[in-house]
Amino acid sequence: MRPFKAVTAIAAPLPIAHIDTDQILPARFMKTLTREGLGRRLFNDWRYDAGGGERGDFVLNQPPWRAAEILVARENFGCGSSREHAAWALDDFGFRAIIAPTFGTIFATNCVKNGILPVTLTGAICDTLMATLSAGKNTLVRVDLEECLVTGPDGQTHSFDVREDFRDTLLAGLDDISRTLKYSDALSDFESNRKL
């Protein structure tokens, strides 16, 4: 997993509340065990019409947001089922951070396990960021995990809190397996000393 220190990137506004994991990645695209290619199905039913053509009014189909690495949304982002595939799709599209007032708890954990930082800011701040981003003149946002600061296109900074274990995991770029392997010597000692 890539370490996350700070990212300055294009941010896309998605002013919708209660976006559930089935909207992030519809269940019919979850027939794979690999992560590759899921990004093209991210928000599939909002991005494409019934014939598979792009919907021009959806933010990720418009420049400059096609290259977004940060997403700003409203409350309860990632609610619904616990499917990790939703985080896989966001990662495969290229998102490094999601900013919203609140997140589905399991979804936030899945994001961290896949190198995506869930940033919690107030609804008012998210709305201001989305309004500025929607104007399309300056779409760059900086998310700094080391300092726990978001800097908007207007230069305003906003501090955020993050669970310490989430912060440590992302800063070090450790997934669950990497974290376990840090204790490989202790695990080997235990296995060699236990009686069967």
Side-chain angles (χ1 to χ4, degrees), residues 55-77:
R55 296 179 189 269
D57 60 346
F58 188 68
V59 66
L60 298 182
N61 292 337
Q62 303 169 10
W65 299 294
R66 286 180 183 275
E69 294 179 43
I70 299 169
L71 187 66
V72 184
R74 291 207 167 114
E75 70 273 7
N76 206 20
F77 189 88

Side-chain angles (χ1 to χ4, degrees), residues 2 9-14 24-25 34-44 46-48 54 58-72 77 84-98 114 116:
R2 292 180 291 175
I10 294 170
L14 190 58
I24 296 169
L25 183 71
T34 63
R35 305 161 191 236
E36 293 78 23
L38 290 177
R40 66 179 172 252
R41 295 301 178 194
L42 179 69
F43 300 118
N44 188 84
W46 293 345
R47 284 173 66 196
Y48 306 106
E54 285 189 352
F58 188 68
V59 66
L60 298 182
N61 292 337
Q62 303 169 10
W65 299 294
R66 286 180 183 275
E69 294 179 43
I70 299 169
L71 187 66
V72 184
F77 189 88
E84 190 172 2
H85 290 68
W88 289 0
L90 287 159
D91 177 55
D92 192 59
F93 185 88
F95 283 110
R96 299 295 319 277
I98 313 292
N114 288 280
I116 301 169

Side-chain angles (χ1 to χ4, degrees), residues 4-11 67-70 96-97 138-144 149 151-153:
F4 189 115
K5 309 282 186 194
V7 171
T8 301
I10 294 170
E69 294 179 43
I70 299 169
R96 299 295 319 277
N138 184 353
T139 59
L140 291 180
V141 169
R142 179 174 176 80
V143 178
D144 188 329
L149 287 175
T151 305

Side-chain angles (χ1 to χ4, degrees), residues 146-172:
E146 292 181 304
E147 299 294 327
C148 291
L149 287 175
V150 170
T151 305
D154 57 2
Q156 293 286 320
T157 59
H158 311 283
S159 62
F160 62 90
D161 293 321
V162 62
R163 281 177 36 180
E164 198 61 33
D165 60 327
F166 282 5
R167 186 173 184 273
D168 292 345
T169 295
L170 288 166
L171 285 172

Side-chain angles (χ1 to χ4, degrees), residues 9 17 27 36 40 56 79-80 89 91 110-111 117 119 131 137 145 178 189:
E36 293 78 23
R40 66 179 172 252
C79 58
D91 177 55
N110 286 338
C111 280
L117 173 62
V119 176
K137 293 178 183 163
L145 181 56
S178 302
D189 287 346

